[in-house]
């Protein structure tokens, strides 16, 4: 059962997660972060940026991104390589050599998944993986129907996801059709999963992922198979949970020694 924490606001949720990551990096400077894109994790990156400005050194830490679009021109501002560079690498003062994003170049795309899996394994995997959830229930870009054993590979985006992400592009036509994404099996290898969701628009996907049947029709439900998961929500994103009262009770009575 994932641990569900409901914070008063997304800023409070982000501060909690950033505080946990900062403590980890302080204790283990070569921590490996799994980083997600989308708008959800942005307040975490901004809170981590404050830890960095306050003197926390991220130069020995590493990061692996979840996914990338296929075929965007090099340096496109909405490529996940560019987003991660802006929001994570530069903000935290990480060494760009330590920050990995799947290679979405059209040339050589057939081997991009295998290359990324090899890099992840050679590195020793991810310590803490940040996750958002899409309105289709996707994790990374694993759309409904993705195998729980899947590894990094090329996938086709659903029309819904293309429409959701069109806000970052000048038109829907500009949104790529394909992506390279860590598989659900890849994500499940990370040692700790932290799923963040804020706002009412995520309430149904969160309830299905946390409490619904474990099914490849709801990729987010893969988190129920992992031994260490923390789900961080605001009250709106928690509003469709059936056992919300119990999660709050457990949260209010959480032993002091127990981190997330
Ligand atoms: C994208 C990303 C996902 C992310 C999702 C939700 O499709 N590939 O990793 O979780 O969007 O985005 P947002 O956080 O903006 O709602």
């Amino acid at each position: 059962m994932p641990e569900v924490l409901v914070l008063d606001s997304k800023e409070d949720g982000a501060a909690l997660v950033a505080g946990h990551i900062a403590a980890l990096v302080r204790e283990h400077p070569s921590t490996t972060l799994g980083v997600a894109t989308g708008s959800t994790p942005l307040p975490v990156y901004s809170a981590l940026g404050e830890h960095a400005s306050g003197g926390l050194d991220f130069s020995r830490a590493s990061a692996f991104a979840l996914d990338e679009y296929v075929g965007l021109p090099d340096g496109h501002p909405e490529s996940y390589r560019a987003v991660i560079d802006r929001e994570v690498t530069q903000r935290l003062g990480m060494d760009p050599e330590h920050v990995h994003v799947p290679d979405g170049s059209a040339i050589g795309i057939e081997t991009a998944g295998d290359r990324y899996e090899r890099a992840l394994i050679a590195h020793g995997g991810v310590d803490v993986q940040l996750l958002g959830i899409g309105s289709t229930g996707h994790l990374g870009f694993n759309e409904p129907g993705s195998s729980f054993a899947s590894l990094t590979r090329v996938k086709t985006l659903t029309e819904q996801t293309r429409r959701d992400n069109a806000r970052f592009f000048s038109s829907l036509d500009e949104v790529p059709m394909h992506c390279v994404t860590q598989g659900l099996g890849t994500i499940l290898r990370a040692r700790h999963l932290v799923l963040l969701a804020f706002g009412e628009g995520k309430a149904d996907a969160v309830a299905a992922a946390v409490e619904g049947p474990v099914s490849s029709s709801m990729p987010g439900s893969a988190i129920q198979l992992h031994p260490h998961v923390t789900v961080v929500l605001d009250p709106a994103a928690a509003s469709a949970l059936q056992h919300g009262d119990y999660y709050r009770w457990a949260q209010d009575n959480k032993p002091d020694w127990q981190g997330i």
Side-chain angles (χ1 to χ4, degrees), residues 215-235:
S215 158
S216 59
S217 298
M218 169 41 70
S221 67
I223 64 170
Q224 295 181 43
L225 300 173
H226 193 285
H228 187 188
V229 183
T230 311
V231 178
V232 178
L233 307 172
D234 66 359

Side-chain angles (χ1 to χ4, degrees), residues 37-41 66-67 80 132-134 138 140-141 161 165 167 202:
T37 49
S39 36
T40 306
L66 281 173
D67 45 13
Y80 285 170
I133 187 163
H138 69 224
F141 270 137
T161 298
N165 289 2
R167 67 188 193 278
K202 296 296 170 75

Side-chain angles (χ1 to χ4, degrees), residues 21-185:
I21 292 175
L24 206 63
V25 171
R26 214 168 281 123
E27 201 178 334
H28 306 286
S30 57
T31 292
T32 302
L33 306 174
V35 288
T37 49
S39 36
T40 306
L42 294 178
V44 176
Y45 303 144
S46 125
L48 282 174
E50 284 169 32
H51 286 280
S53 321
L56 183 60
D57 179 14
F58 284 87
S59 66
R60 288 171 59 197
S62 305
F64 281 83
L66 281 173
D67 45 13
E68 176 60 291
Y69 292 111
V70 171
L72 286 179
D74 236 14
H76 189 291
E78 292 308 327
S79 71
Y80 285 170
R81 159 64 72 188
V83 172
I84 293 295
D85 187 45
R86 234 171 19 237
E87 302 294 346
V88 180
T89 317
Q90 293 183 25
R91 217 179 252 250
L92 309 193
M94 293 182 74
D95 179 346
E97 295 281 312
H98 296 174
V99 180
H100 309 262
V101 179
D103 180 1
S105 336
I107 297 166
I109 195 64
E110 316 81 68
T111 61
D114 285 351
R115 281 183 274 134
Y116 203 62
E117 281 294 322
R118 280 202 297 273
L120 263 165
I121 287 168
H123 181 82
V126 165
D127 294 310
V128 48
Q129 175 66 57
L130 295 175
L131 295 169
I133 187 163
S135 63
T136 62
H138 69 224
L139 297 184
F141 270 137
N142 292 280
E143 299 285 19
S146 296
S147 159
F148 285 174
S150 52
L151 302 179
T152 309
R153 73 241 184 270
V154 172
K155 289 287 284 180
T156 307
L157 299 175
T158 60
E159 271 311 290
Q160 176 66 46
T161 298
R162 292 186 68 240
R163 274 197 300 274
D164 287 350
N165 289 2
R167 67 188 193 278
F168 297 111
F169 294 86
S170 44
S171 72
L172 179 59
D173 288 347
E174 219 200 299
V175 185
M177 196 65 77
H178 296 105
C179 61
V180 196
T181 181
Q182 286 191 29
L184 294 172

